[in-house]
């Protein structure tokens, strides 16, 4: 019966392809829109992800998410340091500044040399002068060194927005991320290297070559100047920062220097980053470490009146804010629901027409003694095969879309939880399409095969 069901399914190729196409469209749209939504939500907390090494974020009690800056007086830093169980605490400035840049280059429209004057809003991060807590790790430095940030007037710029700051550069020569074919080739080579069949790992070789190319290209920006609040900044390094919800460039400097790059205020401290003593003891589980940090956060709140959150809590605070107070979830949810409805309509209608065309075949099987349960099993098998094909192709196309958009402006992140959600949606479409067909076949009289 299995073979007969599959032959019936693939016998009418246009209808078979129509069913698979409807399910593919639904799986693609749900997975793609879900991935863009998850990527966008992750970007809202991008700077919390970037700042590693600190266990706690201490802030004004009214702060709701990472960009909701409510400055504090600097004495709060010493109050946090005095809380029992705090190993160290350092200041962090986070705010917006206006950068003015003058450069020369080729006009992207006329292709003629010209001078550029760019005034752009930037996200300014002021790191602790001594420890540099909050800076990108060494692996994300593209040109220059973090130690150079200690030089007078030094700033470090994120590479993703350099195109806005320096429009006259030869951006067509900018090193690009590897394409799909190159990624697949390096992945296969990595497996062969792990198996001992080849000496060098192509993935490592390719990454070293790309790192050298990036360093050579972005080194051209070292030594250039910009102006913020009538103070000169000297670019000493180019780094890679996680893209944020805002589209502004990220500029790093020291905390003391950041106070010069923005208009003077009485309150300047944005956050206090703190490390909890004993949270990193070996042998503890992640949940135990998180519990120690949360207990320290409660002590800080009780003794200082400030709000203290672990990095995990602050990430979810930020995501929850955008979920509740923006229209982003509604917009993406509507698109996903439309994909589900359209997929159900296409697959259901095509599957129903397919069943109608095969009523005589089902009647012949019932006349030969096949039970209703066996016939229903055949229909469910056909729905399962088309569902698996549509789901696999749809998720694969979504993955290709994500690979093609990697490194661009589009946020795209596919958590593993999204895949079963898409799978459940495709299963629901198949069940809805099958129910109509099952009812028609169950009430079918075997004598229909002898009519006409």
């Amino acid at each position: 019966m299995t073979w007969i069901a599959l032959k019936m399914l693939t016998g009418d190729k246009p209808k078979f392809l129509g069913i698979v196409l409807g399910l593919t469209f639904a799986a693609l749209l749900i997975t793609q829109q879900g991935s863009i939504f998850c990527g966008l939500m992750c970007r809202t907390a991008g700077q919390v992800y970037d700042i590693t090494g600190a266990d706690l974020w201490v802030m004004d009690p009214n702060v709701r998410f990472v960009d909701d800056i409510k400055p504090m007086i600097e004495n709060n830093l010493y109050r946090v340091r005095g809380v029992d169980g705090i190993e160290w605490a350092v200041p962090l400035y986070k705010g917006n500044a206006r950068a003015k840049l003058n450069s020369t280059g080729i006009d992207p429209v006329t292709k003629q040399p010209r001078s550029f004057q760019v005034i752009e809003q930037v996200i300014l991060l002021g790191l602790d002068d001594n420890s540099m807590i909050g800076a990108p790790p060494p692996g994300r430095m593209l040109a220059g060194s973090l130690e150079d940030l200690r030089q007078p007037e030094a700033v470090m710029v994120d590479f993703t927005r350099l195109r806005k700051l320096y429009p006259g550069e030869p951006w067509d020569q900018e090193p690009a991320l590897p394409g799909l074919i190159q990624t697949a080739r390096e992945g296969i080579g990595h497996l062969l290297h792990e198996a001992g069949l080849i000496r060098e790992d192509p993935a490592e070789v390719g990454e070293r070559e790309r790192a050298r190319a990036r360093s050579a290209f972005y080194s051209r920006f070292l030594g250039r100047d910009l102006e913020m609040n009538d103070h000169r900044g000297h670019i000493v390094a180019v780094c890679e920062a996680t893209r944020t919800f805002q589209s502004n460039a990220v500029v790093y400097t020291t905390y003391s220097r950041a106070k010069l790059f923005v208009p003077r205020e009485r309150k300047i401290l944005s956050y206090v980053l703190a490390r909890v003593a004993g949270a990193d003891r070996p042998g503890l589980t992640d949940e135990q470490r998180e519990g120690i940090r949360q207990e320290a956060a409660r002590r800080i709140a009780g003794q200082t009146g400030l709000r203290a959150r672990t990095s995990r809590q602050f990430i979810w605070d930020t995501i929850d804010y955008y979920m509740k107070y923006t229209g982003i979830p509604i917009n993406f949810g509507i698109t996903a629901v439309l994909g589900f409805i359209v997929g159900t309509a296409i697959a259901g209608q095509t599957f129903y027409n397919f069943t109608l065309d095969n009523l005589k075949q089902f009647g012949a099987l019932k006349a030969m003694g096949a039970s209703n349960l066996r016939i229903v099993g055949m229909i469910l098998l056909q729905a399962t095969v088309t569902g698996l094909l549509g789901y696999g192709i749809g998720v694969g196309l979504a993955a290709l879309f994500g690979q093609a958009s990697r490194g661009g402006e589009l946020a795209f992140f596919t958590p593993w939880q999204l895949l079963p959600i898409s799978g459940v949606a495709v299963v629901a479409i198949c069940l809805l399409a099958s129910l109509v067909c099952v009812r028609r076949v169950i009430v079918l009289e075997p004598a229909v095969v002898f009519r006409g």
Side-chain angles (χ1 to χ4, degrees):
M1 287 295 186
T2 300
W3 182 81
I4 294 174
L6 295 178
K7 289 293 289 183
M8 291 172 61
L9 179 64
T10 58
D12 192 339
K13 289 182 174 56
K15 287 189 172 60
F16 172 65
L17 293 177
I19 299 171
V20 173
L21 180 62
L23 297 174
T24 297
F25 177 79
L28 169 63
L29 200 56
I30 294 171
T31 306
Q32 182 211 43
Q33 293 297 305
S35 297
I36 295 175
F37 171 75
C38 292
L40 199 58
M41 289 296 101
C42 288
R43 281 192 181 181
T44 61
Q47 289 175 335
V48 185
Y49 286 110
D50 266 2
I51 295 179
T52 58
D55 295 323
L56 298 177
W57 290 65
V58 186
M59 63 204 78
D60 184 275
N62 296 311
V63 172
R64 294 170 292 176
F65 61 104
V66 68
D67 293 321
D68 185 25
I69 307 297
K70 293 179 172 59
M72 306 176 289
I73 58 175
E74 293 187 342
N75 285 341
N76 285 329
L77 172 63
Y78 305 102
R79 297 174 64 198
V80 174
R81 288 175 175 172
V83 175
D84 183 43
I86 298 302
E87 184 175 338
W88 51 254
V90 297
L92 175 71
Y93 175 82
K94 182 182 185 301
N96 294 320
R98 186 175 292 107
K100 180 180 178 182
L101 303 94
N102 294 303
S103 63
T104 57
I106 304 299
D107 191 300
V109 178
T110 64
K111 306 301 180 183
Q112 299 295 321
R114 56 161 289 196
S115 298
F116 294 88
Q117 184 180 78
V118 176
I119 300 177
E120 279 287 338
Q121 195 87 356
V122 299
I123 300 171
L124 182 64
L125 293 180
L127 313 177
D128 177 54
D129 293 52
N130 297 318
S131 64
M132 294 290 178
I133 294 295
R140 303 183 75 176
M141 300 295 297
L142 303 183
S145 170
L146 180 61
E147 291 300 319
D148 295 334
L149 206 58
R150 303 183 191 277
Q151 298 177 10
E153 303 176 333
V155 296
M156 179 170 60
V157 184
D158 172 33
F159 87 103
T160 58
R161 293 293 181 263
L162 284 174
R163 189 183 293 263
K164 291 175 64 177
L165 302 180
Y166 295 99
E169 297 297 318
W171 292 109
D172 56 330
Q173 301 175 16
E174 183 181 19
L177 291 171
L180 182 62
I181 296 177
Q182 179 67 17
T183 302
R185 185 184 296 116
E186 291 182 359
I188 295 172
H190 176 71
L191 295 176
L192 295 176
H193 173 72
E194 291 292 321
L197 300 177
I198 57 177
R199 181 175 299 178
E200 284 191 308
D201 187 346
E204 294 181 359
V205 174
E207 186 56 38
R208 286 197 301 268
E209 293 176 351
R210 285 189 289 272
R212 283 195 294 267
R214 288 195 298 265
S215 179
F217 181 83
Y218 295 116
S219 292
R220 73 181 64 214
F221 300 102
L222 303 184
R224 301 191 184 187
D225 294 334
L226 54 83
E227 181 183 311
M228 290 183 288
N229 194 32
D230 295 328
H231 287 79
R232 187 175 78 107
H234 189 67
I235 299 177
V236 298
V238 177
C239 66
E240 178 184 1
T242 300
R243 292 176 182 265
T244 63
F245 189 73
Q246 305 176 38
S247 61
N248 298 331
V250 181
V251 176
Y252 294 84
T253 189
T254 59
Y255 181 79
S256 59
R257 201 174 299 128
K259 293 189 284 187
L260 302 175
F261 288 148
V262 294
R264 185 64 182 173
E265 298 181 45
R266 186 174 66 88
K267 297 180 179 181
I268 198 70
L269 180 64
S270 303
Y271 295 103
V272 175
L273 303 177
R275 169 67 68 88
V276 179
D280 292 330
R281 292 197 311 269
L284 296 178
T285 65
D286 290 341
E287 293 304 321
Q288 289 173 331
R289 298 180 198 277
E290 185 70 11
I292 294 174
R293 293 167 183 146
Q294 291 180 12
E295 179 59 32
R298 285 190 285 269
R299 288 198 300 270
I300 292 175
Q303 294 183 33
T304 67
L306 301 173
R307 186 167 186 249
R309 304 292 281 171
T310 67
S311 295
R312 184 189 301 179
Q313 289 175 327
F314 201 29
I315 287 171
W316 283 110
D317 287 345
T318 302
I319 293 175
D320 287 343
Y321 176 85
Y322 281 91
M323 291 277 286
K324 292 177 181 178
Y325 298 105
T326 67
I328 297 174
I330 297 175
N331 293 333
F332 282 95
I334 290 174
T335 305
V337 170
L338 286 176
F340 179 83
I341 293 174
V342 172
T344 303
I346 295 175
Q349 180 65 33
T350 310
F351 202 47
Y352 182 70
N353 291 336
F354 164 79
T355 304
L356 290 181
D357 292 343
N358 288 278
L359 278 180
K360 289 190 175 182
Q361 286 80 353
F362 286 121
L365 291 173
K366 294 184 73 172
M368 289 186 289
S371 63
N372 283 332
L373 185 61
R374 180 62 62 87
I375 300 297
V376 170
M378 293 174 63
I379 294 176
L380 293 178
L381 174 64
Q382 293 169 343
T384 301
V385 170
T386 54
L388 289 175
L389 286 173
Y391 173 75
I393 297 173
V395 171
L397 290 175
L400 289 175
F401 179 85
Q403 177 69 21
S405 62
R406 190 175 59 153
E409 294 296 328
L410 183 66
F412 196 94
F413 172 65
T414 307
W416 68 265
Q417 295 90 342
L418 184 59
L419 299 180
I421 291 175
S422 301
V424 169
V426 172
V427 169
I429 293 174
C430 293
L431 289 177
L432 290 174
S434 301
L435 286 176
V436 180
C437 304
V438 165
R439 180 183 177 279
R440 187 64 184 265
V441 171
I442 288 178
V443 300
L444 175 68
E445 290 293 334
V448 70
V449 71
F450 302 110
R451 295 175 184 168

